[in-house]
Amino acid sequence: MIGDIHRRVTRSLVNSLAFFSHSAYVASFEPRDVSHALSDPNWVNAMHEELENFERNHVRDLVEPPPNLSPYRYQPGVSSKEGIDYEETFAPVARLEAIRILLAFAASKGFKLQQMDVKSVFPNGFIEEEVYVRQPPSFESARFPDRVYKLRKALYGLKQAPRAWYARLKSFLLKSGFVMGSVDKTLFLLSRGGDTQIVQIYVDDIIFGGSSHALVSSFAEQMSREFEMSLMGELQFFLGLQVKQGPEGTFVHQAKYTRDILKKFEMGDSKPMTTPMSTNTAFDADEDGEAVDQKEFRGMIRSLLYLTATRPDIQFAVCLCARYQASPRTSHRQAVKRIFRYLKFTPELGLWYSSGSFLCLRGFSDADHAGCRIDRKSTSGTCQLLGTSLVSWSSRKQASVSLSTTEAEYIAAASCCSQLLWMKATLSDFGLRFGKIPLLVDSTSAISVAKNPVLHSRTKHIDVRFHFLRDHYEKGDIDLVHVASENQLADIFTKPLEFGAFVRLRGELGVEGVDNALIKGEIESQWTGLIALLV
């Protein structure tokens, strides 16, 4: 046996390990095809285990081939045709912002989140289409070798399998008294006797928690009776995110992944840097520079983009470097290496969600006018916080060239407004209601454009889709508030900053090391208790 026997098995691990109910086997190779796999007894045992699971779940029936229909109608990913073998295939998947909202909400309410995993998830979903499959090679029925299997439930490889599983799980949760989120269709909530339970699903991974231990335990038992589940206890690892829950709050980080990518790209022994990008960096296409390996460059960018799930401090630098993936040069590769050297300096940083955070919603937006040296398009930077907890952020180049700083700031604010409205609707499912949501902008002229219709003659060139900012201001959904430039948190998403400003903004966004986060959480809890006594 290699590794921890309690480690959750994902589909990617099946290439190397086969787990069974009473014993375990280590595969000696990754097979090229079925015939190659059949030459190894460990792979054969794994196949037997999977086929036995099909029998337990009554996934298929062995039947006579129907007339005028090929018994080989379905070959995964090859011969299945839309409108014949499947109709709808879409299944909703939780957004990362939704996961962070749940973590921040649970931390503030003192919920201890738990996790469970569904074993052999897709064979739990019923399919509506009539689909037949051939018997697996070397596993044909001795009595009926010419028969075919008619599917009752989905198999891996069926295009409609994810949708079928989601429909099955949704139906079960709704029958159990849960209410589905009006915006986030992967969120389910249950209210009973003044207690609340929350369930968030991501395919076969399920996060759940609530205000009542009895309610949470009852849900775990219900799920185990309905499906074959792996109850994994307190939430610690989800979608590559490491989660540490404590009485002072929740710390979310990717320290292990950070160390892994430093090792992967041979940057583990590099000289650390205190910021991810130099303020003197002049980024352009560098057409005269030496070309570098495109595959390696894209691999580095891809790895860093995944890390931005908990590291907003590298968001701008990574997104800027990602613009040059089509034709990377030595200068671009050096900029990416600088990001890795910064990670070497700060491998343990993550997001801190305090239990003492008040659940108020606010957003910050900023823009760097004509920041791109190639096409002179501006960069929008936005972030949204639930209390002191950063749950959403972005750094992206605007779609069109802005003629002024005002226009660039106005477009960035419109983008931030859109995200705030989505979050407002999502949080209403949690029972939170907000009046005017403050949107903090450091441009008085952009605020004037949104508030004063008289200025419309000066903004006729701005795309109509951005004027919904003014519309929602007039409706009272948001309140545009001026903030001093030095207090503009979104500034970190629009441009490289010098060390002092960078560290200050990073800290205000709640990006901390685990030790600092716990100390900060204790201080916040003491202040919250003191305020409660004074009130």
Side-chain angles (χ1 to χ4, degrees):
M1 183 65 209
I2 295 178
D4 182 2
I5 62 172
H6 301 294
R7 183 183 179 190
R8 183 173 69 86
V9 182
T10 61
R11 294 183 66 187
S12 62
L13 289 176
V14 176
N15 291 330
S16 58
L17 297 177
F19 283 77
F20 301 95
S21 56
H22 300 293
S23 59
Y25 300 86
V26 179
S28 57
F29 61 89
E30 182 175 345
R32 299 185 302 271
D33 50 35
V34 173
S35 60
H36 191 202
L38 288 171
S39 67
D40 186 288
N42 295 318
W43 279 103
V44 173
N45 286 329
M47 295 177 191
H48 276 295
E49 177 71 10
E50 191 67 19
L51 293 174
E52 289 172 7
N53 183 52
F54 290 167
E55 294 301 321
R56 288 196 303 272
N57 287 328
H58 200 179
V59 173
R60 58 196 184 169
D61 295 318
L62 193 61
V63 299
E64 292 287 347
N68 304 320
L69 184 65
S70 168
Y72 312 120
R73 176 173 173 177
Y74 166 65
Q75 296 176 5
V78 178
S79 61
S80 52
K81 297 180 180 179
E82 185 176 1
I84 299 176
D85 299 300
Y86 64 91
E87 295 293 341
E88 295 291 336
T89 62
F90 172 77
V93 177
R95 296 168 56 170
L96 273 175
E97 297 101 313
I99 302 298
R100 289 191 290 258
I101 287 174
L102 174 60
L103 292 171
F105 178 83
S108 68
K109 295 294 184 180
F111 295 175
K112 186 73 71 172
L113 293 176
Q114 308 289 320
Q115 184 179 9
M116 62 173 64
D117 179 76
V118 186
K119 298 179 181 178
S120 300
V121 56
F122 288 161
N124 283 290
F126 294 100
I127 59 173
E128 300 176 358
E129 300 82 6
E130 190 173 326
V131 179
Y132 298 87
V133 300
R134 70 177 71 182
Q135 297 186 53
S138 300
F139 292 91
E140 294 89 349
S141 168
R143 293 181 58 196
F144 308 106
D146 296 327
R147 289 190 178 186
V148 296
Y149 283 111
K150 181 180 180 180
L151 296 185
R152 293 168 53 88
K153 298 180 181 178
L155 289 179
Y156 296 106
L158 271 177
K159 293 182 183 295
Q160 64 268 45
R163 185 177 182 86
W165 158 244
Y166 171 77
R168 170 85 187 277
L169 180 58
K170 180 181 77 171
S171 176
F172 172 75
L173 292 175
L174 294 178
K175 288 180 181 177
S176 301
F178 283 85
V179 176
M180 185 169 60
S182 59
V183 177
D184 183 1
K185 302 304 179 182
T186 64
L187 177 69
F188 294 84
L189 301 103
L190 174 68
S191 296
R192 184 173 295 169
D195 289 316
T196 302
Q197 184 178 352
I198 302 172
V199 174
Q200 184 89 56
I201 62 176
Y202 193 98
V203 191
D204 60 336
D205 288 314
I206 300 173
I207 304 175
F208 61 103
S211 56
S212 166
H213 177 72
L215 202 60
V216 171
S217 299
S218 175
F219 171 73
E221 293 174 3
Q222 282 181 297
M223 290 291 291
S224 296
R225 287 195 298 267
E226 184 71 13
F227 310 104
E228 193 173 355
M229 306 294 302
S230 295
L231 300 177
M232 303 167 68
E234 183 179 324
L235 177 65
Q236 295 181 337
F237 190 84
F238 187 76
L239 300 180
L241 310 182
Q242 296 172 252
V243 182
K244 184 178 179 62
Q245 302 180 78
E248 291 83 21
T250 298
F251 184 63
V252 190
H253 64 106
Q254 292 170 281
K256 181 183 181 302
Y257 177 76
T258 301
R259 291 190 292 269
D260 288 344
I261 62 174
L262 285 170
K263 181 179 179 180
K264 176 181 178 181
F265 295 106
E266 300 179 352
M267 297 294 293
D269 296 326
S270 59
K271 180 181 178 181
M273 298 296 290
T274 56
T275 60
M277 181 169 283
S278 170
T279 54
N280 298 322
T281 300
F283 244 47
D284 55 29
D286 192 16
E287 295 179 353
D288 297 329
E290 182 182 353
V292 298
D293 183 358
Q294 187 185 72
K295 183 178 180 180
E296 181 196 34
F297 186 83
R298 288 184 172 182
M300 298 171 83
I301 293 294
R302 188 164 53 244
S303 298
L304 291 171
L305 283 172
Y306 182 65
L307 185 57
T308 60
T310 59
R311 295 293 300 266
D313 50 325
I314 66 171
Q315 181 81 36
F316 170 73
V318 174
C319 290
L320 182 59
C321 293
R323 299 175 188 176
Y324 302 94
Q325 294 182 80
S327 182
R329 306 293 175 174
T330 301
S331 60
H332 306 143
R333 191 173 186 273
Q334 288 301 115
V336 173
K337 280 190 170 183
R338 163 121 185 187
I339 301 175
F340 278 95
R341 293 168 66 186
Y342 168 69
L343 295 176
K344 179 67 166 56
F345 181 66
T346 59
E348 305 290 335
L349 293 188
L351 291 172
W352 172 247
Y353 294 151
S354 172
S355 59
S357 176
F358 295 102
L359 294 176
C360 57
L361 184 60
R362 59 194 173 125
F364 292 80
S365 77
D366 193 25
D368 179 32
H369 179 236
C372 181
R373 293 168 60 91
I374 299 175
D375 53 19
R376 308 311 294 179
K377 290 180 180 178
S378 304
T379 299
S380 293
T382 67
C383 61
Q384 295 78 29
L385 295 93
L386 188 59
T388 59
S389 302
L390 179 66
V391 293
S392 178
W393 59 88
S394 72
S395 175
R396 64 184 61 181
K397 187 163 66 170
Q398 295 179 1
S400 57
V401 177
S402 298
L403 300 182
S404 64
T405 300
T406 299
E407 182 180 349
E409 294 276 5
Y410 187 76
I411 292 173
S415 175
C416 185
C417 174
S418 176
Q419 183 71 353
L420 285 172
L421 294 176
W422 175 82
M423 292 178 62
K424 180 180 181 181
T426 298
L427 287 165
S428 67
D429 293 328
F430 287 85
L432 300 177
R433 299 290 183 268
F434 302 99
K436 286 186 176 182
I437 303 172
L439 198 171
L440 292 89
V441 184
D442 61 3
S443 170
T444 55
S445 55
I447 294 175
S448 298
V449 168
K451 290 184 175 182
N452 190 356
V454 175
L455 295 174
H456 179 67
S457 60
R458 301 183 186 179
T459 59
K460 288 188 292 185
H461 59 283
I462 299 179
D463 198 310
V464 173
R465 69 181 183 273
F466 298 118
H467 284 303
F468 89 103
L469 174 66
R470 177 185 298 162
D471 183 44
H472 284 286
Y473 170 76
E474 293 174 352
K475 289 179 180 178
D477 294 328
I478 62 167
D479 185 19
L480 291 166
V481 181
H482 181 260
V483 61
S485 296
E486 59 269 21
N487 297 323
Q488 175 55 270
L489 301 188
D491 201 33
I492 199 173
F493 301 110
T494 62
K495 61 179 75 69
L497 302 172
E498 57 89 20
F499 176 72
F502 178 81
V503 171
R504 178 176 59 82
L505 291 180
R506 186 182 69 187
E508 291 184 21
L509 288 173
V511 181
E512 304 278 358
V514 61
D515 294 332
N516 289 338
L518 293 175
I519 294 173
K520 184 178 180 180
E522 291 177 359
I523 295 173
E524 289 174 345
S525 297
Q526 293 171 2
W527 273 106
T528 302
L530 179 59
I531 292 172
L533 289 173
L534 292 174
V535 172

